[in-house]
Amino acid sequence: MAREFSRTDRVGQQVHKEVASIIQNEYKHRVGDLPLITVSDVEVSRDLAHAKVFVTIYGEDVDDKAQIKQLNEYMGFIRSLLAKRLRMRSVPHLHFFQDTSITEGMRISSLVSEVVANDKARQQDDEEEQN
């Protein structure tokens, strides 16, 4: 019987958990004043050599590209802490990317709400004209 999850999935879940913990605890204390950064997903390559870490950055006046650049600059620090926490021969090389799915979902949701409100307004106008 095949395993329910592949090794890459299990490694991805563990990397997700540990990188999120590292960013919230150690990285935040080393860098200083940071916006809220959450790890939304991790994709690990089949050979376990590379991991794409998708992060969502919450904040009003935050330059997301600068935060991603800073994460990539501190990648060695984060990877060294990750190596201490994972029991693997070689730790995946981390690549940080901004996850825009949440903001895109909010934008689409607001567009749908706007269209529904416009349809209701048109329907009420049509009903008033018929009466």
Side-chain angles (χ1 to χ4, degrees):
M1 186 167 129
R3 291 186 178 146
E4 189 173 333
F5 297 104
S6 67
R7 181 158 189 218
T8 56
D9 291 340
R10 290 179 294 178
V11 169
Q13 288 175 350
Q14 192 65 29
V15 168
H16 180 279
K17 177 182 160 189
E18 297 300 338
V19 168
S21 173
I22 290 169
I23 288 175
Q24 291 303 317
N25 298 322
E26 287 86 358
Y27 174 74
K28 193 174 200 177
H29 294 300
R30 175 168 266 210
V31 174
D33 188 32
L34 285 177
L36 178 63
I37 300 174
T38 60
V39 177
S40 54
D41 193 23
V42 173
E43 293 177 1
V44 179
S45 64
R46 290 180 61 96
D47 63 354
L48 305 177
H50 298 276
K52 291 181 181 179
V53 181
F54 295 95
V55 296
T56 305
I57 301 168
Y58 299 99
E60 300 247 338
D61 299 326
V62 178
D63 185 12
D64 296 341
K65 291 182 181 182
Q67 292 295 326
I68 296 296
K69 183 179 178 185
Q70 188 177 33
L71 278 169
N72 281 314
E73 288 172 359
Y74 279 88
M75 184 270 304
F77 169 71
I78 295 170
R79 190 172 179 225
S80 68
L81 292 175
L82 184 63
K84 293 175 185 174
R85 295 181 181 194
L86 294 180
R87 294 178 55 198
M88 294 179 61
R89 180 174 291 171
S90 64
V91 176
H93 186 78
L94 304 175
H95 306 276
F96 291 95
F97 296 95
Q98 181 180 2
D99 184 17
T100 58
S101 63
I102 292 175
T103 55
E104 193 65 21
M106 289 172 42
R107 186 183 72 81
I108 291 172
S109 177
S110 68
L111 287 173
V112 168
S113 298
E114 183 180 324
V115 168
V116 168
N118 288 341
D119 284 347
K120 283 184 181 181
R122 278 194 204 136
Q123 187 179 15
Q124 288 176 354
D125 289 343
D126 290 344
E127 289 175 1
E128 288 176 2
E129 287 177 5
Q130 290 177 356
N131 291 334

